[in-house]
Amino acid sequence: MSEFKDSLLKFRLKRSLEILASKKGQHTELVTLYVPHDRQISDVTNNLRQELGTASNIKSKTTRKNVQDAIESTLQRIKLFKKPPQTGLAIFSGAIPQNGPGSERMEVYVVVPPEPINLYYYRCDNRFHIEPLREMLKEKDTYGILVLDSSGAAFATLKGITLDIVRKITSGIPGKHRAGGQSARRFERFREAEVNEYFKRIGKYANKIFLKIPDLKGIIIGGPGPTKYDFEKENLLHYTLKDKILTTIDTAYVGEQGVEELVEKSTDVLKEVRYFEEKKLVQKFLYEIGHDTGLAIYGENEVRKSLEKGTVSLLLLSEDLVKKRVTIKCKNCDHQAQKTMTQQDIKNMQKWLDSKSCPKCSVPNLVIDKTEDLIDELAKLADQSRAKIEIISPKTEEGVALKKSFGGVAAILRYKQ
Ligand SMILES: [Zn+2]
């Protein structure tokens, strides 16, 4: 999975989960099914047929029918796959009341998760079980942790809530007080050389440990006293790692305890990483606009044109963009048209179409052919020309500006048009 699609995948999952969470069954009749990638489809269909048999014992006639229908629908969907996708599969199906009891309609949702599903899971309940997918929305980025003082250093990684101490080293530096008989200058020089040696070792380990992590999001350095600053000044970290230093924090301890202390103290910093990332992304766009470089464009139509030409390098979409892209077609000829509209507009659209005739063949036979999220439609266009996509939340001032002043759709171009 390419890393730059992270914000889009997360956004899509978030939207699906909002829909799924809002669905409630009348009784225990909504089916949730999780299938890991290595499970044979035939195993799954056998299992579902067994569940179908078990369901025939349900006493209430309506519940029995609803459960059986839900399992049948799940079976039909799973059969469309020769094998589960790389990350597995989740299917949600059931009779959902549309407008109070008696108005149930069968709804089926298929979710291909952005991260691997590792369990096989079947449940029938009055709600859909979305917890395993919700887990995927949590912070999973990896951070490098370095805690040091003049006595020793510890290297750790933090992924989600998993803290892993990778290595601990001692400095071997003698204390500040020389033994009797040593000349003060000679001792000082000796100590300095030892410190240099120690810093070089820290640099070597840090580079070795942190450069290996492909998606390292940032590094946090900590420790008691000034040694950590002295180390930073020495410039011993690989330049790509140096760029990733998020902050330096004072701790009371070194070693494992120091690492834990540092993680505790940096919770706020870690929470803010995406926040600052989003700020920077929009600021980049605002810079191009402000300096009139010709590299920034905004507004749905203009951006769509550039996406189609393949000249977009970075596409910024506001998370609050709730519009739909609708394809209208003529059932009499090959006429097709696309329009962006709100969900509300779509409701009145068919009525409006019924009163119109086709601009090409003049026969009044226009229908809505396809409806999709505007974000998904633009993301597809971006994908075709390998443009980066970032979904920007309204959490930052810049994110709000993107929505309010630029219509929620903006782009930075590869070159001036
Ligand atoms: Zn026509």
Side-chain angles (χ1 to χ4, degrees), residues 118-130:
N118 297 314
L119 75 172
Y120 181 82
Y121 178 99
Y122 170 90
R123 281 291 178 288
C124 197
D125 203 341
N126 61 356
R127 64 180 181 95
F128 291 132
H129 285 231
I130 56 174

Side-chain angles (χ1 to χ4, degrees), residues 330 333 335 358 361:
C330 171
C333 71
H335 170 75
C358 170
C361 70

Side-chain angles (χ1 to χ4, degrees), residues 98-167:
Q98 307 292 311
N99 220 340
S103 64
E104 291 85 0
R105 202 176 66 199
M106 188 56 63
E107 293 184 20
V108 188
Y109 300 87
V110 178
V111 178
V112 176
E115 286 171 33
I117 291 274
N118 297 314
L119 75 172
Y120 181 82
Y121 178 99
Y122 170 90
R123 281 291 178 288
C124 197
D125 203 341
N126 61 356
R127 64 180 181 95
F128 291 132
H129 285 231
I130 56 174
E131 292 76 8
L133 293 176
R134 196 165 263 161
E135 268 308 297
M136 291 178 191
L137 288 178
K138 286 193 185 150
E139 196 60 65
K140 292 260 181 29
D141 292 322
T142 309
Y143 296 91
I145 310 269
L146 169 60
V147 175
L148 71 147
D149 73 351
S150 59
S151 70
F155 308 83
T157 58
L158 178 70
K159 188 177 169 110
I161 52 162
T162 315
L163 181 63
D164 187 15
I165 312 267
V166 184
R167 178 143 210 141

